[in-house]
Amino acid sequence: MTRQLIAYVHVDGVPYGPDDKVPAKIAERIGAHAWTNGDEQVEVSTPTGGGDGLKSEAPPRTGRGSGIEAWLAFAEQHDVGTDSDMTRDDVIAACEAAGVIEPDQPKE
């Protein structure tokens, strides 16, 4: 019996999906609710940057989980071009420019 993810999850900013082989050390960190035993048919929506597919949620802009790795993985999922010279803020700006996320609104 093999376990299979029922949806996409991010661990340390790295996305894992139903068709991915998840390393044992990573699998230990994913809750039981995210797995199926592989015998059941699972309907999975692949995150995409447009169309009728589901978009994965953007990482937070500040605080835990807001690092450049998370933003690079998010940008890659949504086909937003990045390069090695970009900072986290550059990646966020590129996602905004591509229309993948809304521009950050200053708090009043």
Side-chain angles (χ1 to χ4, degrees):
M1 176 169 69
T2 61
R3 294 191 321 164
Q4 177 183 11
L5 287 168
I6 60 172
Y8 284 84
V9 298
H10 289 117
V11 178
D12 293 332
V14 178
Y16 297 94
D19 295 327
D20 294 332
K21 182 172 181 164
V22 181
K25 289 286 186 191
I26 300 297
E28 292 172 1
R29 298 174 59 192
I30 300 172
H33 65 281
W35 298 96
T36 181
N37 64 13
D39 295 336
E40 304 166 15
Q41 286 288 69
V42 177
E43 184 177 326
V44 178
S45 295
T46 304
T48 62
D52 293 334
L54 297 176
K55 291 184 180 181
S56 62
E57 188 173 326
R61 293 179 189 240
T62 60
R64 187 175 193 176
S66 66
I68 190 165
E69 296 85 11
W71 278 100
L72 285 169
F74 177 78
E76 182 179 331
Q77 286 178 343
H78 295 278
D79 298 322
V80 176
T82 61
D83 63 52
S84 61
D85 294 332
M86 295 177 89
T87 66
R88 181 186 64 89
D89 291 338
D90 293 337
V91 175
I92 292 171
C95 290
E96 288 176 351
V100 174
I101 59 172
E102 295 292 322
D104 194 21
Q105 300 297 320
K107 294 183 180 182
E108 296 179 15

